């Protein structure tokens, strides 16, 4: 479980990210996928990550230090409808740069709204991560909004789409910021990776 979470910095340049060699876990997803709410739920904070009804609120790389042992990185959403093409291009550039250059990155968590069928933009982003050899897990959000059978059906649809081009389906988690579903599983997964890094 996470005991301590503190905001460290926001910026739009990968070169200015923290110089610590702590492992980093990046959270990213389409706008309005519930990323800030999930981060606040995981860290037991009401307002660590700023939540907003307006998509595209996160526009910088935000670093939060967790238990002095790893960084949770909150990245801007992709597929935000309400920002200009120019802004979108700048976002995409520094998101891409972060994933290509950040040596400390251990795993990306791609957030997907479990209520929807597979979205092209999510599938393409996962393909891009795979092609660049970046380990990632899928975090299905807003599980409280659906019945268990509907959740299973929608996840099966994702499996079907991804397994057309992937050998195996990535690790995945079913979460709800509303009722704290998936909190223990997700933090445990991060703890296990951190332990395996320490033992290397």
């Amino acid at each position: 479980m996470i005991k301590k979470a503190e905001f460290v910095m926001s910026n739009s340049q990968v070169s200015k990210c923290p110089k610590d060699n702590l492992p980093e876990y990046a959270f990213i997803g389409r706008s309005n996928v519930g990323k800030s709410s999930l981060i606040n739920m995981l860290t037991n904070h009401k307002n660590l990550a700023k939540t907003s009804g307006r998509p595209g609120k996160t526009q910088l790389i935000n670093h939060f230090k967790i238990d002095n042992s790893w960084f949770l990185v909150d990245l801007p959403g992709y597929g935000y409808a309400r920002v200009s093409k120019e802004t979108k291009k700048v976002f995409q550039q520094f998101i891409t740069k972060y994933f290509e250059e950040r040596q400390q990155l251990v795993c990306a968590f791609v957030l997907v709204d479990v209520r929807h069928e597979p979205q092209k933009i999510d599938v393409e982003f996962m393909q891009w991560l795979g092609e660049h050899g970046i380990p990632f897990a899928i975090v299905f959000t807003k599980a409280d909004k659906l019945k268990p059978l509907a959740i299973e059906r929608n996840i099966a649809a994702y499996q079907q789409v991804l397994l057309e081009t992937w050998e195996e389906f990535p690790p995945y988690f079913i979460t709800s910021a509303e009722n704290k579903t998936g909190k223990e599983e997700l933090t445990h997964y991060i703890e296990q990776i951190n332990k395996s890094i320490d033992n290397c």
Side-chain angles (χ1 to χ4, degrees):
M1 295 296 281
I2 291 171
K3 295 183 180 70
K4 185 183 172 195
E6 54 184 324
F7 171 75
V8 176
M9 64 161 62
S10 290
N11 71 83
S12 60
Q13 289 173 275
V14 180
S15 58
K16 290 185 179 167
C17 286
K19 298 291 182 272
D20 319 45
N21 272 330
L22 296 177
E24 290 187 359
Y25 296 83
F27 285 68
I28 189 167
R30 272 183 310 128
S31 296
N32 243 11
V33 75
K35 182 161 53 74
S36 299
S37 301
L38 180 84
I39 289 171
N40 290 335
M41 181 265 276
L42 290 176
T43 57
N44 307 307
H45 272 263
K46 272 194 178 142
N47 298 309
L48 191 72
K50 301 283 184 283
T51 56
S52 164
R54 186 166 59 83
K57 187 83 175 80
T58 309
Q59 298 188 1
L60 296 164
I61 302 169
N62 297 307
H63 274 76
F64 301 97
K65 192 181 272 188
I66 309 296
D67 293 334
N68 289 324
S69 59
W70 56 278
F71 280 112
L72 186 159
V73 185
D74 180 11
L75 292 171
Y78 49 79
Y80 17 72
R82 294 191 190 178
V83 295
S84 69
K85 271 189 177 164
E86 198 47 47
T87 310
K88 205 176 280 192
K89 218 165 100 184
V90 173
F91 281 8
Q92 298 298 33
Q93 278 171 354
F94 76 68
I95 291 172
T96 305
K97 220 168 171 192
Y98 173 83
F99 282 112
E100 287 178 344
E101 295 181 10
R102 195 68 177 149
Q103 300 289 321
Q104 291 90 328
L105 177 69
V106 174
C107 179
F109 290 105
V110 181
L111 276 59
V112 169
D113 188 332
V114 77
R115 297 174 298 175
H116 305 307
E117 57 190 42
Q119 304 287 308
K120 187 168 177 265
I121 192 166
D122 292 324
V123 174
E124 283 177 354
F125 182 67
M126 292 179 208
Q127 294 286 118
W128 184 87
L129 289 174
E131 285 161 12
H132 287 76
I134 296 157
F136 73 93
I138 303 173
V139 178
F140 291 99
T141 62
K142 307 192 182 186
D144 56 291
K145 306 280 194 280
L146 284 184
K147 293 201 162 69
L149 274 176
I151 291 173
E152 275 178 39
R153 192 177 60 238
N154 289 358
I155 291 175
Y158 260 94
Q159 287 174 322
Q160 197 179 344
V161 169
L162 284 184
L163 291 175
E164 286 171 13
T165 49
W166 294 69
E167 281 179 24
E168 54 183 303
F169 195 62
Y172 69 91
F173 301 88
I174 298 165
T175 68
S176 159
E178 201 61 39
N179 54 27
K180 299 188 168 29
T181 304
K183 179 177 182 173
E184 282 186 27
E185 291 83 349
L186 205 44
T187 49
H188 180 70
Y189 182 72
I190 292 170
E191 280 164 18
Q192 292 307 108
I193 296 176
N194 284 339
K195 270 184 196 158
S196 68
I197 294 169
D198 289 342
N199 293 333
C200 282

